[in-house]
Amino acid sequence: MKHSSKGKVTTMLLGITATFMLSACSGDQATESPPVKEPVQPPAVEQPVETPPAAEEQPEANSAFTAPLTGQGLEQPSNRRPLAVMMNNAPAARPQSGLSQADLVYEVLAEGGITRLIAIYQSQTGIEKIGPVRSIRPYLIDIGESYDGVLVHAGGSPEAYAIIQRQKKQDLDEIGSAGAYFWRTTDRKAPHNLYTSEEQLREAVLKHSYPQESEVPEYDFLDAAAPADDAEGEPAIRVDLTFLLGSYNVGYTYDEETGTYKRSINNQPHIDKNNNAVLEAANVVVLSAEHKVLDEVGRLAVNLEQGGEAMLFRKGKVIKGEWSRKQGDVIRFLKDGKEVPFYPGTTYFNIVPSSPSFASHVTISNP
């Protein structure tokens, strides 16, 4: 397993905020290249139902094998290729479908002050509806590829397309050659109504002759049965995150019964439309990264290489440390130079600006 070694000023945030607010008026669609297509009829595949049956049941934690990204039990080892899906997080796209069955979820700013979600799927199968799927950016390519994920998206910024084409990235683009593996629903307006499924994506991977297996990066995990009282850190029952816009206030509240943090957005439970389950995470990582505005549209560069301040929330406590990333590896959370293990389950990574300070984006409370 690989291990890692081991932002800016207030004026930067003012510049970012001003540009974001201006670009927010034009909406996320203005940044797409090529433009989002109008709704079309689904391809000749069976239309998934709104509330699909649950994905395959997870074996007990003491199984002989564990999933590399969640630490949860598996009946047999899995080196299934991850799928990195760009997920729409605009208010009109919520609630999303399939997030509760992702192994990992990243949240990061896009232009206009909105955030985008990158859902990494590896250990679970049978996920019949995933989306809405949205466009890609260069730093989203970086996140997805750090897990050797096939990039799943619908359109992208000019810079992202240039990278994909020049470097021959392995992607599934609804606007490109993978359109047959997506469908649009009629209950929402475009671009907030584009979906796919795990089965369709796996079929697309095969048809595009991409590798179906990979050397999936792994994390260290603690014993799932370890008492919460034994967890390292200071009490942190709730954490609230401010990205930029008021419509993207994210909260995580610890549930002692489940041992997980339940996610909310704008003080409302953030649910999965597939099963009406509240999104939850065994581990919540909040990390600080340098954000730079590139143009008048508000497109961003996010530095995911240099490391910085970070917090890890697990079992109702917070550990303050730093994040680091070695070339060719994933982002890892460190304390005093050593990687801190996660608890088995889903992990959410939340990337906030480093200016005016990391602390200005994070509020911890113990109600």
Side-chain angles (χ1 to χ4, degrees), residues 14-342:
L14 293 175
I16 291 176
T17 304
T19 307
F20 279 170
M21 296 306 292
L22 287 172
S23 58
C25 297
S26 62
D28 188 36
Q29 270 188 288
T31 68
E32 305 305 314
S33 177
V36 175
K37 298 183 292 186
E38 288 303 309
V40 298
Q41 293 299 316
V45 295
E46 183 179 351
Q47 178 74 11
V49 296
E50 289 295 320
T51 306
E56 61 182 12
E57 183 179 352
Q58 292 294 308
E60 294 299 320
N62 61 358
S63 300
F65 307 101
T66 57
L69 301 180
T70 69
Q72 293 177 315
L74 295 175
E75 294 178 348
Q76 56 186 358
S78 173
N79 58 353
R80 183 187 299 116
R81 181 89 179 271
L83 302 167
V85 182
M86 309 301 129
M87 196 83 79
N88 193 341
N89 195 36
R94 305 177 201 143
Q96 296 91 344
S97 296
L99 282 174
S100 64
Q101 293 159 302
D103 289 11
L104 303 166
V105 179
Y106 278 79
E107 182 165 16
V108 61
L109 279 165
E111 59 277 351
I114 68 172
T115 67
R116 186 135 302 162
L117 304 175
I118 306 95
I120 309 294
Y121 296 90
Q122 195 274 331
S123 66
Q124 294 198 45
T125 60
I127 309 167
E128 296 192 18
K129 191 174 184 182
I130 298 173
V133 179
R134 204 63 172 97
S135 58
I136 199 164
R137 303 290 179 267
Y139 50 93
L140 307 184
I141 293 175
D142 193 9
I143 291 172
E145 284 202 321
S146 70
Y147 294 92
D148 194 28
V150 177
L151 305 169
V152 181
H153 62 107
S157 67
E159 295 83 359
Y161 266 123
I163 292 171
I164 289 172
Q165 293 168 3
R166 183 173 62 250
Q167 300 181 20
K168 301 185 185 304
K169 300 296 187 183
Q170 297 188 355
D171 73 318
L172 300 173
D173 183 7
E174 183 267 344
I175 293 176
S177 62
Y181 302 96
F182 298 78
W183 68 87
R184 291 190 181 272
T185 62
T186 58
D187 60 333
R188 293 175 174 172
K189 294 181 179 180
H192 311 298
N193 63 347
L194 182 67
Y195 296 88
T196 184
S197 69
E198 191 265 345
E199 180 182 6
Q200 289 288 294
L201 293 177
R202 295 293 177 194
E203 181 180 342
V205 169
L206 179 64
K207 291 297 178 66
H208 281 71
S209 299
Y210 297 154
Q212 300 178 67
E213 298 179 342
S214 70
E215 186 175 338
V216 184
E218 297 181 356
Y219 289 103
D220 285 334
F221 291 95
L222 296 165
D223 184 350
D229 291 345
D230 292 346
E232 179 186 354
E234 303 172 0
I237 300 303
R238 181 176 172 89
V239 57
D240 290 280
L241 306 178
T242 302
F243 288 86
L244 281 177
L245 295 183
S247 55
Y248 291 85
N249 289 330
V250 173
Y252 295 92
T253 303
Y254 183 63
D255 185 329
E256 187 174 351
E257 183 175 344
T258 62
T260 61
Y261 280 88
K262 299 297 179 66
R263 178 179 162 97
S264 62
I265 190 160
N266 301 327
N267 293 314
Q268 296 297 320
H270 194 172
I271 67 170
D272 186 329
K273 191 177 180 182
N274 280 357
N275 52 22
N276 291 318
V278 178
L279 301 178
E280 59 183 341
N283 314 282
V284 176
V285 179
V286 185
L287 59 97
S288 168
E290 181 182 272
H291 290 56
K292 180 181 179 181
V293 178
L294 298 176
D295 55 29
E296 68 281 356
V297 177
R299 296 188 181 98
L300 296 172
V302 180
N303 192 323
L304 299 178
E305 302 292 338
Q306 71 180 20
E309 293 181 82
M311 298 180 184
L312 168 60
F313 297 83
R314 51 174 206 179
K315 293 290 185 180
K317 295 184 179 180
V318 59
I319 301 174
K320 298 179 180 180
E322 60 278 338
W323 67 274
S324 180
R325 184 178 174 204
K326 185 185 298 184
Q327 185 175 6
D329 195 15
V330 296
I331 289 173
R332 298 186 183 275
F333 179 82
L334 309 177
K335 175 69 173 177
D336 298 327
K338 297 182 179 180
E339 184 173 0
V340 179
F342 293 150

